[in-house]
Amino acid sequence: MTDDGCMAYDQSLRKSGRCLASEALQPVHTAATVRVRDGKVHITDGPFTEAKECLAGFYLIEAADLNDAVQIAAQIPPARVGSIEVRPVRELTSTSGERRQV
């Protein structure tokens, strides 16, 4: 997938006002996995798991519902050669009852 195709789609999504954030990510060989066990930080070079597919980037979009999000995801150029995972933002609730989406 060419960067030009992805950038053109990104611009159209931003112009529609539905894109809250988006970024391309460096290849998986640049990744580091961080774990904290018993108070000690452990860093492993590379991605979390060995997989044939990798996270190449992300879009944070405003969608009415899951169906709307799926329709938007189907237009992302890499969907033609790979796959797009669609997930809602998870709302966190603190012990004081404060709610926040992250």
Side-chain angles (χ1 to χ4, degrees):
M1 188 56 42
T2 68
D3 286 351
D4 288 341
C6 293
M7 289 188 313
Y9 178 75
D10 186 78
Q11 285 300 322
S12 69
L13 194 58
R14 287 177 182 273
K15 286 179 184 177
S16 76
R18 301 182 82 167
C19 183
L20 304 176
S22 62
E23 291 293 337
L25 299 174
Q26 292 290 328
V28 294
H29 73 269
T30 66
T33 300
V34 178
R35 294 176 179 86
V36 178
R37 302 292 185 269
D38 299 319
K40 294 181 182 176
V41 177
H42 299 275
I43 303 168
T44 306
D45 290 341
F48 174 69
T49 60
E50 294 294 325
K52 291 181 181 178
E53 295 180 338
C54 65
L55 182 64
F58 71 91
Y59 288 97
L60 178 60
I61 61 164
E62 187 71 44
D65 54 28
L66 180 60
N67 186 52
D68 188 29
V70 167
Q71 295 302 314
I72 293 168
Q75 299 303 311
I76 297 172
R80 293 180 215 121
V81 294
S83 59
I84 308 298
E85 181 177 325
V86 177
R87 273 194 226 185
V89 171
R90 184 168 68 106
E91 190 174 278
L92 299 179
T93 304
S94 71
T95 54
S96 66
E98 176 187 0
R99 301 184 121 180
R100 181 170 177 215
Q101 287 187 341
V102 294

